[in-house]
Amino acid sequence: MSEWVWALVRWVHLVAMALWLGGQLFLFLVVRPVLRSQLDRPTQTQLTAAFGRRYSPLAWISLIVAILTGFAIGEHRGVAWSALLSFRSTYGTLLTTKMTLVGLILLLTLFHGRSIGPRLTELAGSADLRDRQRYRQLLALSVLISAANLLLTLLVVLLSARLVA
């Protein structure tokens, strides 16, 4: 294929990553602080859940597109997938680390989206004391998972920058 096609594949890869990371940064650095400063916790949770439901399909599509285009780029560059675990080259080590982090990001995102988020939304409006305690615990876990996901994504971007050097 022509170099223009591969430039387009890399461009799609970068745009997908920008959408994934940009959405996370916007939610974590803009939406969450505004909601925290303006609203009570149950309302914060409901609005955060609404933002999450709206962003989730875009996030999943962008992550899947980034993974697929990443594999295509690797194929184009002649990556020997079977040799990645040997850690014989810096490129292979970086790529293996990046792929492992992406797998962890997928697991954390799935766990948060399917387990933590829905349970938080369910508990947000409860007046029961035990539910409120569980809500606070889950909220702390949610923030921890979200922060970890954001940091892992930033690390993936750093590794990506190193891979093209």
Side-chain angles (χ1 to χ4, degrees):
M1 280 194 242
S2 80
E3 281 306 308
W4 277 105
V5 171
W6 287 108
L8 181 62
V9 171
R10 285 189 302 273
W11 178 81
V12 169
H13 186 74
L14 292 172
V15 169
M17 277 307 301
L19 182 58
W20 171 257
L21 178 57
Q24 282 187 319
L25 287 170
F26 182 73
L27 289 171
F28 203 79
L29 298 175
V30 177
V31 171
R32 185 158 164 63
V34 168
L35 294 180
R36 285 182 62 201
S37 70
Q38 304 290 321
L39 304 168
D40 59 80
R41 281 206 174 160
T43 306
Q44 289 175 39
T45 300
Q46 297 298 330
L47 283 173
T48 301
F51 280 115
R53 283 189 299 274
R54 176 69 179 107
Y55 175 63
S56 183
L58 299 171
W60 279 108
I61 289 168
S62 67
L63 196 53
I64 290 166
V65 166
I67 290 168
L68 293 175
T69 54
F71 277 112
I73 292 165
E75 286 290 319
H76 178 66
R77 289 193 67 162
V79 170
W81 301 108
S82 60
L84 286 180
L85 295 178
S86 69
F87 299 105
R88 290 191 181 143
S89 71
T90 302
Y91 185 88
T93 301
L94 290 172
L95 186 56
T96 300
T97 303
K98 179 182 169 184
M99 291 169 56
T100 302
L101 294 177
V102 169
L104 185 54
I105 289 167
L106 281 168
L107 291 174
L108 287 173
T109 301
L110 192 60
F111 176 64
H112 189 278
R114 298 288 181 225
S115 180
I116 302 296
R119 186 74 178 128
L120 266 176
T121 304
E122 179 184 312
L123 293 171
S126 177
D128 184 286
L129 217 48
R130 289 176 306 220
D131 285 349
R132 293 175 82 94
Q133 167 115 10
R134 184 70 180 139
Y135 172 83
R136 283 191 296 279
Q137 292 169 340
L138 278 175
L139 183 61
L141 181 59
S142 174
V143 170
L144 180 67
I145 290 171
S146 297
N149 233 351
L150 177 57
L151 291 174
L152 289 171
T153 300
L154 289 168
L155 187 53
V156 165
V157 172
L158 175 64
L159 292 173
S160 298
R162 177 60 181 89
L163 284 170
V164 297

